[in-house]
Amino acid sequence: MDKRTRVFSAMDKKPVDHVPVGFWYHFGEDQIQGEKCVQAHIDYIRDCDLDILKIMSDGFAYPIPESIQTAADWRKLTPLGREHPFIRDQVWRAKRLVEELGKEVPLFFTVFAPFSLIRSTAGDERVMRDLQEDRLA
């Protein structure tokens, strides 16, 4: 049974030859951007013989504008466009991995909630302080 059939059969509650296996791994700083990142994913899935690939989004910190200095400034935050590097580069990574591995294994990409990304970039302490100061922000 090939990996794609195994995973999708298991998801459909159909018989499989064994339980599909997938783990994710945070790559080193030298492997979180560009083609090195794509190759790290390829090497990982093949070396570990996994059935599922979770595409890692390491290396992407939410781009909080420098203009956001106070609690009230969060009201100025606007959505990122599809051509913003934060979006464009993650889409590129996913497309490259689908090109390389999509016929072998199912690939999944975690889309984090914007608030979670902002908290991880700005820090919980700052975000919570700003929310307490400006409850409508």
Side-chain angles (χ1 to χ4, degrees):
M1 177 174 277
D2 69 66
K3 295 172 185 220
R4 290 182 60 80
T5 302
R6 178 178 303 117
V7 170
F8 292 119
S9 292
M11 291 172 77
D12 289 336
K13 300 179 184 177
K14 295 179 180 173
V16 293
D17 56 344
H18 66 79
V19 174
V21 176
F23 299 98
W24 57 89
Y25 179 77
H26 295 280
F27 300 105
E29 288 293 318
D30 61 331
Q31 297 176 309
I32 59 172
Q33 293 295 332
E35 284 295 331
K36 286 185 178 182
C37 181
V38 171
Q39 191 59 51
H41 281 79
I42 294 168
D43 293 344
Y44 177 68
I45 192 102
R46 291 187 176 147
D47 290 348
C48 297
D49 195 27
L50 301 173
D51 295 307
I52 301 165
L53 176 65
K54 178 197 179 291
I55 299 172
M56 300 305 290
S57 58
D58 294 335
F60 292 102
Y62 192 85
I64 299 172
E66 290 180 20
S67 62
I68 298 182
Q69 297 294 318
T70 68
D73 289 341
W74 287 106
R75 296 172 191 240
K76 301 174 191 173
L77 192 64
T78 59
L80 302 175
R82 67 186 314 155
E83 290 305 317
H84 190 285
F86 179 80
I87 303 295
R88 184 190 64 228
D89 294 351
Q90 289 185 75
V91 170
W92 175 87
R93 179 180 295 178
K95 283 183 177 180
R96 283 288 296 119
L97 285 164
V98 168
E99 289 170 4
E100 295 292 330
L101 297 170
K103 292 184 177 166
E104 295 176 42
V105 299
L107 294 90
F108 298 90
F109 193 98
T110 302
V111 178
F112 292 98
F115 185 70
S116 294
L117 294 171
I118 289 168
R119 281 181 40 228
S120 69
T121 302
D124 285 334
E125 187 176 310
R126 175 184 176 191
V127 171
M128 296 313 289
R129 182 189 67 235
D130 287 350
L131 283 172
Q132 289 171 345
E133 183 180 320
D134 185 352
R135 295 185 183 272
L136 297 176

